[in-house]
Amino acid sequence: MAVLVTGAAGFIGSTLIHALLDRGERVVGVDNLNDYYDVNLKKARLKRLEDRESDFSFHKLDISDREALPTLCEANPDITGAVHLAAQAGVRYSLTNPFAYIEANSMGHLVVMEACRRLPNFQHLVYASSSSVYGGNTKMPFSVEDPVDNPVSLYAATKRSCELMSDCYAHLYRMPMTGLRFFTVYGPWGRPDMAAYLFTKAILEGKPIDVFNNGEMRRDFTYIDDIVSGVISALDRVPVAPVPGRPHKVYNLGNNNTETLMDYIGVIEEACGREAIKNFREMQPGDVKETYADIDISQKELGFEPKVKIREGLPRFVQWYREYHKV
């Protein structure tokens, strides 16, 4: 039996693969190694998996390729589960390169579903959604039962489209699927376009950081190990159809603890041993003021219990950053 992981060279994907291998799974990983951010970081994540090649195989391909991914799946008929994490990330980048989001997120998701449903022994597809689907909702905390019909970015719209397509395929083909709405994931090996990385880099280099909405923002920051634990719990739990004939469920994976942006910066400053030079700026288009996850259902049905707060997780990130960049 094997697990397909898309986005294998990504932050969450590479960390998840280590956890799957640790528990004895065979993993088939795919990633197109695009240059949205430093490809060397992606290659470094994969290099950490080199000594595990007996149970892990990597394939460089684009998930939106309607021939390559199905062909790979046909060559690995023992794939019984999949974790689909590959996507074009970033809210702000969607303002300048919108076509990348439709191709990778919407088309890519469709290709993954089509490839998986044709596998002879396939059991369950887990895929990454996002807290961005909540858009401008003001009711806090965000619940999976809340309406999500008003996205404020194209990125969010494509993630919501993945949820809707999954619900449709669950209905049409009785294909079990689980969507996970991630809330601001951070930690070692994280993405360079995320706040922890951007702030740490700038602070250590003595350069200013941009603080949007004049610092009046809050986020439900979630540590990578907690996210991976939640993903594995979801993979192990094939959903029972909440609606007859539709085995599809959606969960929040967040820390259930919203933090102010200024407190977040303060923890990074302390870990770096110096104060940030702050440029206070207006809210950016497509951004939201606050995110906060209601994880009651995730706790009850997945046993999801986030453990790491920013005062523990951010110093771990800063330590990794220093070691990786040798600063």
Side-chain angles (χ1 to χ4, degrees):
M1 303 295 105
V3 179
L4 172 69
V5 177
T6 72
F11 172 33
I12 300 175
S14 60
T15 310
L16 171 67
I17 289 169
H18 281 283
L20 290 171
L21 293 172
D22 286 345
R23 70 175 201 162
E25 305 279 5
R26 186 174 85 82
V27 179
V28 179
V30 302
D31 199 297
N32 68 354
L33 297 176
N34 69 25
D35 61 359
Y36 169 64
Y37 62 82
D38 185 10
V39 176
N40 290 323
L41 176 57
K42 298 179 181 183
K43 291 179 178 178
R45 293 177 184 137
L46 289 175
K47 188 172 179 60
R48 297 173 65 230
L49 292 162
E50 281 184 350
D51 62 347
R52 314 192 75 169
E53 289 181 345
S54 60
D55 296 309
F56 171 65
S57 61
F58 174 71
H59 307 266
K60 183 182 177 182
L61 60 84
D62 194 313
I63 58 164
S64 64
D65 188 326
R66 285 180 272 178
E67 294 184 3
L69 186 63
T71 298
L72 175 64
C73 288
E74 289 171 10
N76 291 272
D78 62 331
I79 292 175
T80 57
V83 182
H84 172 38
L85 301 170
Q88 178 57 61
V91 169
R92 291 165 192 156
Y93 186 60
S94 68
L95 300 174
T96 58
N97 192 4
F99 294 103
Y101 290 77
I102 300 302
E103 186 69 16
N105 299 1
S106 299
M107 178 59 76
H109 189 72
L110 178 60
V111 173
V112 169
M113 290 193 300
E114 277 290 302
C116 288
R117 80 177 182 88
R118 288 177 164 77
L119 284 162
N121 301 302
F122 193 74
Q123 298 173 5
H124 188 198
L125 170 61
V126 175
Y127 65 93
S129 186
S130 168
S131 62
S132 296
V133 301
Y134 290 107
N137 286 14
T138 57
K139 171 186 163 292
M140 295 291 167
F142 295 152
S143 167
V144 292
E145 298 172 347
D146 294 340
V148 285
D149 302 322
N150 297 290
V152 297
S153 69
L154 182 64
Y155 170 70
T158 60
K159 284 299 186 178
R160 179 59 178 149
S161 78
C162 293
E163 295 181 354
L164 294 172
M165 285 192 287
S166 297
D167 200 56
C168 177
Y169 264 55
H171 166 66
L172 290 174
Y173 306 111
R174 304 299 189 267
M175 180 176 169
M177 281 184 276
T178 299
L180 302 174
R181 294 174 178 171
F182 296 148
F183 282 69
T184 317
V185 188
Y186 74 98
W189 297 96
R191 293 200 333 250
D193 63 326
M194 297 295 285
Y197 203 113
L198 291 169
F199 293 162
T200 298
K201 182 177 187 295
I203 291 170
L204 291 177
E205 293 177 356
K207 297 179 179 178
I209 64 173
D210 289 330
V211 183
F212 293 105
N213 201 39
N214 296 310
E216 295 179 7
M217 300 181 75
R218 303 182 70 96
R219 287 290 182 272
D220 198 330
F221 298 102
T222 317
Y223 192 67
I224 181 62
D225 291 357
D226 289 331
I227 287 290
V228 166
S229 176
V231 172
I232 290 177
S233 294
L235 181 63
D236 289 345
R237 185 185 185 279
V238 178
V240 176
V243 176
R246 290 179 184 262
H248 175 234
K249 293 276 291 193
V250 175
Y251 297 95
N252 285 336
L253 291 190
N255 201 32
N256 194 33
N257 182 50
T258 186
E259 302 273 4
T260 70
L261 178 58
M262 297 308 294
D263 283 347
Y264 188 79
I265 293 171
V267 176
I268 296 176
E269 289 175 321
E270 184 176 345
C272 290
R274 62 186 71 176
E275 187 175 349
I277 304 167
K278 304 176 185 70
N279 284 339
F280 289 96
R281 302 183 60 187
E282 296 180 354
M283 178 85 81
Q284 295 292 287
D287 217 341
V288 296
K289 185 175 180 180
E290 182 175 3
T291 65
Y292 182 12
D294 180 340
I295 61 171
D296 285 352
I297 297 174
S298 303
Q299 289 172 313
K300 292 174 184 175
E301 298 187 5
L302 301 180
F304 177 64
E305 293 292 346
K307 299 175 182 177
V308 181
K309 305 300 183 186
I310 62 171
R311 284 149 193 84
E312 180 182 357
L314 283 174
R316 293 181 191 174
F317 172 80
V318 172
Q319 180 181 358
W320 167 82
Y321 182 93
R322 287 181 178 276
E323 293 171 354
Y324 179 74
H325 291 283
K326 298 178 175 59
V327 294

